[in-house]
Amino acid sequence: MIDPLLATLTFETLFPNHIWHYLIGGIFIGLGVSVIYLGTGITAGASTFLESTLSYTSRLPRLQQHRFVTSRDWRVVFTLGIVIGAGIYALTFQSGLLTSSLHQPATAGQLQDVGGVTIWTTEVSWWRLLGGGVLIGIGTRLGKGCTSGHGVCGVGSLSQTSIANVATFMVVAIGTALLVGAAGVSP
Amino acid sequence: MTNDEQSGAFVALIFVGGILFGFGLGFSHMAQPEVVLSFLQLVDLGLVFVMGGAATVTAGTIFLAMRFRENAPLTGRPYERRLKSMDGNVLSGGSIFGVGWGLSGICPGAAYASLGVGNYPILIGVAGMFIGAYLQAYWRSMRAESGAAAVGAD
């Protein structure tokens, strides 16, 4: 028997901001992938957009591969959809137009009112965003996917390659973030 | 794109899928690098519910679709699992991605969504991702040209 009080304390220690907005958000992400898959058979990942979009301007043979050139138009549409979907969240829940006990307001970063819409901005340093971005660009393309391609579609496919990739980036990212935190870099 | 992939229904469906996906990233706060970093620093483990919830829904869809139908209606593509071949790049790429994710708290989909919640500083991160993607493409094009690497890295 687990002492209920101990279980509660442990749960709240692990999930100080509750779990519902995380789970509901995850379900929406899965629904987005599912809608596309059911209609088209495509397992959509977010990082191929980087290479496929570069194919509009770069003549590098690597970027002119058939699979990038033929998918680049719809990948732009997919990415625009992601931006607009997050924008709908910003106009509704983030701006307080809709509220729910299952939604958690932001506890980090900066919220500001811009013409009646609440926008959220990060406080993470520019050099972390830039340096991290470059490594992400290299790593996701070398490693054949990112948190959506491998982490959602690949894991959802029970792909051993994807599970290995996710386990690798999780361990390395946790180690990196703990080191950065231990070095006193915040936010 | 093939003719099927230029159809209005195809483009509309991709757009709707993107909207659901982006709304989910916003609602789950994955568009906030601070929240991702708090997961990676083991302060708030909620991210496992985001990835777990998304992967579970996706798994259900993929396996049910494969069980009951052969091909997707809009493209005629066969319903298949997302299976990529395993090689050293999967692990080295995953490691490089892991350092970047742990440093910044951003990843591609979440970074696009972050623009949607108004986070204009994320443009620096998005620019970084394009630079990184170009660098690896340049490096691999050079390797392929010099014949140092076997063709068909993926």
Side-chain angles (χ1 to χ4, degrees), chain A residues 122-142:
Chain A
T122 187
E123 291 178 324
V124 172
S125 325
W126 68 269
W127 62 270
R128 293 177 73 178
L129 300 175
L130 181 65
V134 171
L135 292 171
I136 288 160
I138 297 171
T140 61
R141 301 327 304 143
L142 193 60

Side-chain angles (χ1 to χ4, degrees), chain A residues 13-17 19 21-22 24-26 28-43 46-47 49-51 54 58 60-63 67 70 73-74 77-79 81-90 93-94 102-106 108-109 119-124 126 128-130 132-144 147-154 156-159 161-162 165 168-170 172-174 176-178 181, chain B residues 1 5 10-11 13-15 17-35 37 39-51 53-55 57-59 61-63 65-66 72-75 77 79-87 89-104 106-109 112-113 116-122 124-125 128-141 153-154:
Chain A
T13 311
L14 297 176
F15 305 101
N17 294 312
I19 62 164
H21 67 292
Y22 290 122
I24 292 166
F28 270 96
I29 293 167
L31 286 175
V33 171
S34 295
V35 162
I36 292 172
Y37 182 80
L38 285 174
T40 68
I42 294 169
T43 47
S47 61
F49 169 74
L50 300 170
E51 279 172 305
L54 286 169
S58 170
L60 280 179
R62 171 84 204 164
L63 293 170
R67 66 194 179 100
T70 54
D73 292 347
W74 71 254
V77 173
F78 178 52
T79 300
I82 295 173
V83 175
I84 289 168
I88 291 170
Y89 165 76
F93 288 95
Q94 187 166 282
L102 302 178
H103 170 254
Q104 176 85 16
I119 68 160
W120 182 90
T121 49
T122 187
E123 291 178 324
V124 172
W126 68 269
R128 293 177 73 178
L129 300 175
L130 181 65
V134 171
L135 292 171
I136 288 160
I138 297 171
T140 61
R141 301 327 304 143
L142 193 60
K144 308 178 188 181
T147 38
S148 55
H150 278 307
V152 176
C153 296
S157 295
L158 303 178
S159 155
T161 300
S162 291
N165 181 275
T168 305
F169 74 61
M170 278 288 179
V172 173
I174 288 169
T176 304
L178 288 174
Chain B
M1 296 205 286
E5 295 185 1
F10 176 89
V11 173
L13 194 77
I14 295 281
F15 189 57
I19 287 174
L20 289 167
F21 190 96
F23 181 85
L25 285 165
F27 197 88
S28 62
H29 291 184
M30 294 298 104
Q32 302 178 14
E34 281 90 336
V35 174
L37 289 170
F39 167 77
L40 295 173
Q41 292 171 343
L42 309 177
V43 174
D44 176 353
L45 302 188
L47 189 149
V48 297
F49 282 92
V50 182
M51 203 178 271
V57 170
T58 303
T61 304
I62 291 174
F63 287 94
M66 287 171 60
L74 296 182
T75 58
R77 284 182 190 234
Y79 283 128
E80 288 172 341
R81 293 157 68 198
R82 181 192 186 276
L83 300 176
K84 299 260 172 167
S85 60
M86 185 65 192
D87 57 40
N89 283 341
V90 170
L91 300 184
S92 53
S95 301
I96 295 168
F97 171 65
V99 175
W101 199 36
L103 182 65
S104 63
I106 67 176
C107 60
Y112 316 147
V117 300
N119 184 22
Y120 58 88
I122 204 79
I124 300 168
M129 294 191 299
F130 274 108
I131 293 168
Y134 185 81
L135 286 176
Q136 76 86 36
Y138 184 82
W139 174 70
R140 290 171 90 175
S141 291
D154 55 355

